[in-house]
Amino acid sequence: MTQSKNFIFKFALVAIVFTVFSCKKENTAGTNSKSETSISQEHPKLILTAQGVKNIREQLGSIPIFDNSLQAVKEEIDAEIKAGIEVPIPKDYSGGYTHVRHKRNWVVLQKAGVLYQILDDEKYAQYVKDMLMQYEKLYKTLPLHPKTRSYARGKLFWQCLNDSNWLVYVSQAYDCIYNYLTEEERNKLENNLFKPFADHISIDSPQFYQRVHNHSTWGNAAVGMIGLVMNDQELIDRALYGIKGVDLDTKAKDDDGGFLNKDGKAGFLANIEEPFSPDGYYNEGPYYQRYAMYPFLIFAEGLHNVKPELKIFEYKEGVLLKSINALLNLSDADGEFFPLNDGQKGMSYYNSALVTAVDISYHFGKQDPGLLSIAKEQNTVLLDDSGLAVALGIKNGKEKPFLKKSINLSDGPEGTQGGVGILRNEDIELVFKYAAQGSSHGHYDKLSYSLYEKGEEVIQDYGLARFVNIEQKGGGNYLKENKTWAKQTIAHNTVTQNETSHFTGKYDIGSLHHSDLHYFSSENENVQIVSAKETNAYPGTEMLRTMAIIKEKDFEKPFMLDIMKITSASANQYDFPYYYFGQVLQTNFDFQTSETLKPLGTKNGYQHLFVEATAKANTDNSKFSWLNKNKFYTLTTVTNANDALLFTRIGANDPEFNLRRDPAVILRRKNTKNTTFVSIIETHGSYSPISESALNSNSTIAALQVILDTTDYTAIAITTINNNTKIFITVNTNTSKETKHSIKINNKNYEWSGSYYFK
Amino acid sequence: MTQSKNFIFKFALVAIVFTVFSCKKENTAGTNSKSETSISQEHPKLILTAQGVKNIREQLGSIPIFDNSLQAVKEEIDAEIKAGIEVPIPKDYSGGYTHVRHKRNWVVLQKAGVLYQILDDEKYAQYVKDMLMQYEKLYKTLPLHPKTRSYARGKLFWQCLNDSNWLVYVSQAYDCIYNYLTEEERNKLENNLFKPFADHISIDSPQFYQRVHNHSTWGNAAVGMIGLVMNDQELIDRALYGIKGVDLDTKAKDDDGGFLNKDGKAGFLANIEEPFSPDGYYNEGPYYQRYAMYPFLIFAEGLHNVKPELKIFEYKEGVLLKSINALLNLSDADGEFFPLNDGQKGMSYYNSALVTAVDISYHFGKQDPGLLSIAKEQNTVLLDDSGLAVALGIKNGKEKPFLKKSINLSDGPEGTQGGVGILRNEDIELVFKYAAQGSSHGHYDKLSYSLYEKGEEVIQDYGLARFVNIEQKGGGNYLKENKTWAKQTIAHNTVTQNETSHFTGKYDIGSLHHSDLHYFSSENENVQIVSAKETNAYPGTEMLRTMAIIKEKDFEKPFMLDIMKITSASANQYDFPYYYFGQVLQTNFDFQTSETLKPLGTKNGYQHLFVEATAKANTDNSKFSWLNKNKFYTLTTVTNANDALLFTRIGANDPEFNLRRDPAVILRRKNTKNTTFVSIIETHGSYSPISESALNSNSTIAALQVILDTTDYTAIAITTINNNTKIFITVNTNTSKETKHSIKINNKNYEWSGSYYFK
């Protein structure tokens, strides 16, 4: 989905050896090259199987969710058949007519193919055949797509990525009507359409295909799936292992600043290997995982069916199925994915790719009954063997709630490049990011977090600056504000030092580093903690952030405790924003609103923030309450008299109104070396505009104090309005669960084992 | 609910004659003075009746919605009884502890009384008695409430208004346990609590009581209801007809700028007479009607039960019950009231006052089955005879949908002071206000409108600037921005001339005038129109606004057509805002965003608008599209090259962050005498962040033209992208449905009868 407006292919491709056509079979890479012999000649075999179709037909009419899904697809496709086939000459960018039509066609073809198999009605096969023949006729005449913005132009679409999408779906359709066609028809399609199509997106477009990247995954799956249907071992191998003999310049970059192919890896297996951590976390984050998920799983399903000996679902200790569990856990209470890195808000597990994921995970995994409850919410299933399994599970009342608990997901191929920790208690969810750069879609947001209550954002992550597929906004592609705002550090709920983004906003540098987990603790249901360290974002400055969700009896709901300990060799300015929503309710400090609004700075995202008000902080605690969607929130933060508070709003230097006018409060601490930011965010009470009553609209905290802050320990005292005091101590150095700690603070002894103390 | 921060009692009260205690019975005003003899001595008799209680007890257990309501109340009150009685010494403003507690107590007392009657369990009577006795003990010691902000201070509360609320509820509780008490106990309560209480809110506070105002309605009901229970004819008469012999200065004003008592009317009947139009429209608008509704109806119910010969529900041709129908029609698809004048958004027919209204309307009206469907949505009923009737209706499956259609509601006691027109088609609702000033809660917004789709605001009315009962925001009272912003003309979707509000924002002047209906037409389901004229807002300038909701086949949904014809003796600047929500999507004109944001002006509301961008309009049509909550909207407006467009955002000169940061586009036409603004707003298409697909995201209009604009006619041509052209002609002069019109435009003849032509 990356756009590359000004892509200049600066570095020559090294050694694009066009010998693949002539290479010998025994020369294919990997150990599975002999599997060709096992390819089944029965059709369908790819996603639907002959046996599966038989089972489905037997159950039809008695499996409500499947029957309904089938009926919906039938109505949709019958309407399409009635409307007639349209295969226009490619012309437009995303959102334009020809783009939308070809996109629609791939969906329609796949579904019509399935209907033919399940309903055994030739009108669907005829329809698929007719449309494929029109594509055959068109495709052989096509030059590159006329729009030039992509770094890898397709033929049907402006980018190879969309061509690959098309082939992933259409190979399924072809499989479904394979036996309906004569050999002559098949040859025609394969020679004039499918083979050249697969070659264009791979051999002709190595900068797209020969990478570890979500784009390449689609390319690999497309080539592999049509290869499985056509029983073309060469294509299958090209899918699994990449284009033989092609190595890209390891220093070349795409337009997002991502390396084209840093270490020369390529192919479907490498694409599984690299981006997924052993916990199943996908390095670009959940939004792109959702997008990448479909080709991963649908090709895996095809491989499982056609080449079971590959044991694809067991590859890398079953990481594909693990990744589905990770992805589901990366969603809020409404099933919406946390918008880590470039992520469009609102994307959720109701997306069709997740129907695929959930059904496949259930069928090919361990039949987790929790997945059935999500499938039930999705209210649709795949029209294949896995969908049948889910439908039968639901029919037989096997579902249980899918419980999302606190979870720590490591990042990096080996799970050693930081990660994402999610703390959950009751309706509160904290998402803490201490991961690696996240590929070209990564943001400069080390140790950033976002906070949710019941699926509503309390402290937001901005997400991406893009209106995906809305043509009026930059053609539906990434907007320049994605780079100038959304990726910058100040756009995130973490520390910006000296108004400069982490790694000076440079992808090359960011890609070399990752944060490190200090500890994660979720054993105590009432005290969930994640702590991580970042030492590279600002050379010479070390940031250790410890975040906790704590449930305590004086508080209505679990609250968030945040301790950001900064150790630096030099005196710096630290900016610490809180991207809240809603309206200012109350502060315990005086602020002055601005007569005219000016930008906070000139670069690194600061140019996009208007300053609405400024304040001098209090000497002990600064408190800020706000009201959003009839709920109350209070930030209590430890400040000193030299601290400033800024009320800002996004939207400066935004000539096309591309940014949302969202507010923030920024705590600014100047000319400071070592310092520790300590804050609590409470969500509390409610307001009813119907009864006009405000419940629990005030903070429960009377005082928040740092009572000790050394290299080894940071100790916080939280005193409530009921005059109860709780002490939280976090160990700042490496420790084990068994290590005993004993310290004296204000003449009182504290003793405990492990990373933290709370009492 | 009015606050009067700096109320200075500038004008002496004239002739506060404290002779009422000694006045003779035969001297009471009106014709119903002999009704004393008919007062029933049975208790309960006020809201519950002895026969009603018998009926309810018989049905208990077989009327689900009643049983559930009863159970909920029982649980609520049992918990209160367990928690114990608290009757604190009054101290706080709204939202503060003592305020909230006494407010809670009135609810609890009323409910406990009802429970005693229905459940026949003495623990509830005992509880009511105990609390009343504590009030008796406290009340006799009380001076005026210590908080001084109100123009009429209460004793339990800071304002007499809340004292009156208390007595309206508590008189019901007293009625319920009347027979449970000894005569001695009753005498104690009546002499030390109820009688002095009633006197304080009336005789001691004539500036509060002796008016036509929602405050007075509460006061009248309070005095009257306790009078009915106590069988005190003097109190009943004082309630119905006002304090005998007291006349207020007709020129004195309250702190809102409202006249205290312009024409000397007072008492409950006058309060019915004055504010309600014959159609049941309440002059302050639905938000305050909802608030006033409870005392109107509950006292009416009491009068009906105790003094049936008054025929209160037939008073003024049954206006009380008509007003309920009007109020229900003044709500959007979600049941939320349109925030005309001072209205807090979110208030809806789920408010308990509306449960009262719906149940009473059903029981004492014509048993409209549509009301049952609203009662079912409310999911609760009154625990009295009317609630029983509703519960039985629902139980017997009598409910039908409450259909809200286009409706025109006249304003003014005689229905001759303008009105409010609501146009509805499918999911689109247009609310057009051409009413009178709306009393002290009125806004300067002649010929303003707001537009809704399925209960979502498309073009908003700001509502009030207040956070009702949220103590942190100005004590929960009106904020100064209510006057400086919310009431000003520029805050509304109508024309502001020369940056001055209608009637120069002066209540005295505004109160003298009202707009006039030109025509209202809802016979044709596809073309719903309301047209009205305003000639006084700007002397020398006449505004005729014709608004239509039109359903046409080329359009996905009904669209809004807006023709504002201005005729002026002088050259003026006209500002024409559109208070949309969401994000700018596209314009067909170039705009320049502002580097720094400055206020648009210095007064009349302009000081609160930041200018985010400016543009020169196009020579024919200026188009502006936006995206909100995943729906698309387009404004197409006829402009000329001298017009300017301003993108603004509320929030300038707002030192306490009291205002929402909402956007607008303002069309500005300078140095112009006569002109006609013609616009269409389309709502179209949708965006799914899950499938990432944008449907119908573009306008259907290719061109919008004024093809004729004379004193007599304005003709508009609407050409769609399918190249279909429709002509809309509105007659600008008085005409009847039968009048035949014939004109020639561009050599084509148009003939029709009545106010408009559309084809």
Side-chain angles (χ1 to χ4, degrees), chain B residues 47-68:
Chain B
I47 304 306
L48 280 169
T49 61
Q51 181 60 42
V53 168
K54 198 164 160 271
N55 296 343
I56 289 167
R57 288 186 187 167
E58 280 170 14
Q59 298 284 348
L60 278 189
S62 72
I63 35 175
I65 193 170
F66 194 104
D67 293 332
N68 294 339

Side-chain angles (χ1 to χ4, degrees), chain B residues 337-379:
Chain B
F337 300 123
F338 302 125
L340 301 176
N341 297 325
D342 287 340
Q344 179 164 274
K345 292 181 183 181
M347 179 55 75
S348 76
Y349 62 49
Y350 295 98
N351 179 276
S352 59
L354 270 289
V355 175
T356 303
V358 166
D359 291 5
I360 286 179
S361 182
Y362 181 79
H363 186 52
F364 298 105
K366 291 174 183 165
Q367 288 78 53
D368 173 3
L371 293 169
L372 295 178
S373 72
I374 293 180
K376 211 171 169 181
E377 286 181 57
Q378 290 171 334
N379 199 25

Side-chain angles (χ1 to χ4, degrees), chain A residues 108-154:
Chain A
V108 167
L109 283 169
Q110 189 267 346
K111 288 179 174 173
V114 168
L115 289 178
Y116 168 59
Q117 283 296 334
I118 295 179
L119 299 176
D120 200 14
D121 180 340
E122 289 202 357
K123 87 170 172 193
Y124 299 109
Q126 181 69 44
Y127 177 73
V128 172
K129 177 182 148 185
D130 290 349
M131 200 192 294
L132 287 181
M133 287 303 172
Q134 289 201 27
Y135 270 108
E136 185 268 344
K137 206 168 149 190
L138 175 71
Y139 192 82
K140 58 192 181 194
T141 71
L142 290 180
L144 280 183
H145 192 279
K147 296 286 188 198
T148 58
R149 197 161 54 195
S150 175
Y151 74 103
R153 286 151 74 188

Side-chain angles (χ1 to χ4, degrees), chain A residues 1 103 287 290-291 344-348 350-352 462 467-473 580 583-586 591 593-599 610 612-613 625 627 632 647 649 652-661 687-694 697-698, chain B residues 1 103 287 290-291 344-348 350-352 462 467-473 580 583-586 591 593-599 610 612-613 625 627 632 647 649 652-661 687-694 697-698:
Chain A
M1 306 271 278
K103 197 169 160 182
Y287 177 74
R290 172 275 325 169
Y291 184 64
Q344 179 163 275
K345 292 181 183 180
M347 179 56 74
S348 76
Y350 295 97
N351 179 276
S352 60
Y462 189 89
F467 295 75
V468 182
N469 292 330
I470 298 182
E471 212 187 1
Q472 292 95 329
K473 297 300 267 185
Y580 70 98
Q583 283 190 272
V584 174
L585 199 67
Q586 199 177 33
F591 53 82
T593 50
S594 315
E595 270 288 300
T596 63
L597 304 193
K598 294 182 185 125
F610 278 122
E612 293 195 324
S625 297
L627 173 67
F632 297 101
F647 288 81
R649 192 169 299 272
N653 288 295
D654 178 20
E656 303 288 335
F657 286 99
N658 286 337
L659 297 173
R660 299 189 305 268
R661 266 55 184 162
Y687 180 72
S688 164
I690 294 171
S691 66
E692 298 191 325
S693 56
S697 67
N698 289 300
Chain B
M1 307 270 279
K103 197 170 159 181
Y287 177 74
R290 172 275 324 169
Y291 184 63
Q344 179 164 274
K345 292 181 183 181
M347 179 55 75
S348 76
Y350 295 98
N351 179 276
S352 59
Y462 189 88
F467 295 75
V468 183
N469 292 329
I470 298 183
E471 213 187 358
Q472 293 94 330
K473 297 299 266 186
Y580 71 97
Q583 283 191 270
V584 175
L585 199 67
Q586 199 176 32
F591 54 82
T593 51
S594 315
E595 269 287 299
T596 63
L597 303 193
K598 294 182 186 127
F610 278 122
E612 292 195 327
S625 297
L627 173 68
F632 297 101
F647 288 79
R649 193 169 298 273
N653 287 296
D654 179 20
E656 303 288 335
F657 287 98
N658 286 337
L659 297 173
R660 299 189 305 268
R661 266 53 183 164
Y687 180 72
S688 163
I690 294 172
S691 66
E692 299 191 325
S693 55
S697 67
N698 290 301

Side-chain angles (χ1 to χ4, degrees), chain B residues 48 71 244 261 282 320 397 517 556 639 648 663 717:
Chain B
L48 280 169
Q71 182 59 28
K244 232 179 77 79
N261 200 335
Y282 184 77
L320 283 180
L517 182 66
E556 180 191 349
T639 49
T648 63

Side-chain angles (χ1 to χ4, degrees), chain B residues 424-465:
Chain B
R424 294 183 161 110
N425 195 342
E426 293 177 0
D427 291 332
I428 305 294
E429 288 177 314
L430 172 78
V431 186
F432 179 62
K433 182 162 174 263
Y434 62 98
Q437 181 61 29
S439 196
S440 62
H441 291 296
H443 287 194
Y444 301 96
D445 62 347
K446 295 295 159 196
L447 308 187
S448 181
Y449 76 99
S450 50
L451 184 67
Y452 291 76
E453 181 176 12
K454 237 182 183 168
E456 289 285 344
E457 294 170 297
V458 176
I459 299 292
Q460 72 157 328
D461 187 289
Y462 189 88
L464 44 62

Side-chain angles (χ1 to χ4, degrees), chain A residues 56-176:
Chain A
I56 289 168
R57 288 185 186 168
E58 280 170 13
Q59 298 283 349
L60 277 189
S62 71
I63 36 175
I65 194 171
F66 193 103
D67 294 330
N68 294 340
S69 302
L70 180 64
Q71 182 59 27
V73 168
K74 185 175 181 312
E75 283 166 18
E76 182 188 347
I77 298 307
D78 287 350
E80 284 286 346
I81 292 176
K82 207 173 156 195
I85 293 170
E86 285 185 76
V87 179
I89 294 169
K91 192 167 76 64
D92 301 327
Y93 279 125
S94 311
Y97 172 70
T98 70
H99 182 98
V100 169
R101 187 65 242 176
H102 287 298
K103 197 169 160 182
R104 178 79 189 131
N105 284 349
W106 83 49
V107 173
V108 167
L109 283 169
Q110 189 267 346
K111 288 179 174 173
V114 168
L115 289 178
Y116 168 59
Q117 283 296 334
I118 295 179
L119 299 176
D120 200 14
D121 180 340
E122 289 202 357
K123 87 170 172 193
Y124 299 109
Q126 181 69 44
Y127 177 73
V128 172
K129 177 182 148 185
D130 290 349
M131 200 192 294
L132 287 181
M133 287 303 172
Q134 289 201 27
Y135 270 108
E136 185 268 344
K137 206 168 149 190
L138 175 71
Y139 192 82
K140 58 192 181 194
T141 71
L142 290 180
L144 280 183
H145 192 279
K147 296 286 188 198
T148 58
R149 197 161 54 195
S150 175
Y151 74 103
R153 286 151 74 188
K155 289 188 166 186
L156 286 181
F157 299 90
W158 67 281
Q159 51 176 353
C160 273
L161 174 61
N162 301 127
D163 279 40
S164 302
N165 302 149
W166 187 93
L167 190 55
V168 163
Y169 285 86
V170 174
S171 56
Q172 299 173 53
Y174 180 48
D175 180 45
C176 284

Side-chain angles (χ1 to χ4, degrees), chain A residues 245 319 339 514 525 558 583 588 603:
Chain A
V319 76
H514 55 81
E525 208 181 296
Q583 283 190 272
N588 71 345
K603 54 178 193 264

